[in-house]
Amino acid sequence: MNTMRFARLGFFLFLTHLLLVGCGTDKVRPAGEFPSGLKKLEGSWIRVTRSGMVYEVWKKSENSEFLGETWRVSGGDSVLTEKMRLFISEDSLYYGATVTEQNEGKEILFTLTAEGQEFIFENPAHNFPQRIRYSFPKKDELRVVIEDMGGEKRMFFNFFIGS
């Protein structure tokens, strides 16, 4: 009798384990596919600063990349400060950043290393930032954090949906 109970319990625990392992978030997705949470980036995001407004604008391109630009608007002048792109190559997702007047105009690549509540892109070989984190704390809010690998040097940028 006890043997039968243990067998049923063991079978139940085995099935529960299979269900828990099989049920994930965006962490398990087909190779070559963007995480659904990153698709929220598409659109215009605004950040108000003491010196003016900053816009981060994302759109999906014809070749399935996501392209972004960051603009600083101050005193009626707008200046492009950064171009970004999200793209898939060899089953990895990359964040490419080209910052105006930095890195000799070359794109710096960061690899997606974690996804779920936030999307973490890393490039330990880059001077700063080495890690870029994107998250959506609220439906209409985008939070970007850039930091070194140890998290000692860190900058926060909060954007809200714009028009």
Side-chain angles (χ1 to χ4, degrees):
M1 194 83 156
N2 283 342
T3 306
M4 187 60 124
R5 277 191 188 154
F6 284 120
R8 284 186 197 150
L9 178 62
F11 183 72
F12 174 77
L13 291 174
F14 174 73
L15 285 179
T16 303
H17 172 75
L18 285 179
L19 286 171
L20 290 175
V21 169
C23 296
T25 59
D26 283 341
K27 293 181 194 283
V28 180
R29 61 180 158 78
E33 189 174 292
F34 275 90
S36 60
L38 272 178
K39 294 175 184 175
K40 295 178 196 174
L41 271 177
E42 197 166 10
S44 296
W45 299 89
I46 299 172
R47 181 169 68 91
V48 179
T49 69
R50 286 186 216 129
S51 60
M53 308 280 275
V54 176
Y55 292 86
E56 185 160 309
V57 181
W58 286 91
K59 61 185 170 186
K60 190 171 184 178
S61 72
E62 293 175 5
N63 62 357
S64 297
E65 293 182 347
F66 279 83
L67 302 176
E69 292 182 338
T70 303
W71 292 84
R72 178 173 300 283
V73 179
S74 179
D77 293 328
S78 59
V79 177
L80 177 67
T81 59
E82 183 176 9
K83 287 188 174 189
M84 300 86 63
R85 68 184 182 122
L86 293 170
F87 65 98
I88 295 171
S89 178
E90 298 178 10
D91 294 333
S92 292
L93 180 62
Y94 294 95
Y95 177 99
T98 306
V99 179
T100 306
E101 299 180 17
Q102 288 185 15
N103 305 306
E104 300 172 358
K106 295 178 185 168
E107 180 181 54
I108 305 299
L109 297 181
F110 298 81
T111 306
L112 180 69
T113 58
E115 58 184 285
Q117 294 296 320
E118 64 179 2
F119 299 89
I120 301 173
F121 299 89
E122 295 180 341
N123 179 344
H126 187 53
N127 57 359
F128 185 83
Q130 295 173 319
R131 182 180 297 131
I132 301 171
R133 300 182 318 181
Y134 272 78
S135 63
F136 302 91
K138 297 177 185 170
K139 183 180 176 184
D140 62 346
E141 184 179 357
L142 167 64
R143 178 171 295 147
V144 182
V145 180
I146 61 173
E147 61 190 356
D148 61 10
M149 291 303 288
E152 289 125 22
K153 184 177 179 183
R154 181 179 292 163
M155 297 171 73
F156 294 86
F157 305 96
N158 289 328
F159 291 86
F160 298 91
I161 289 181
S163 53

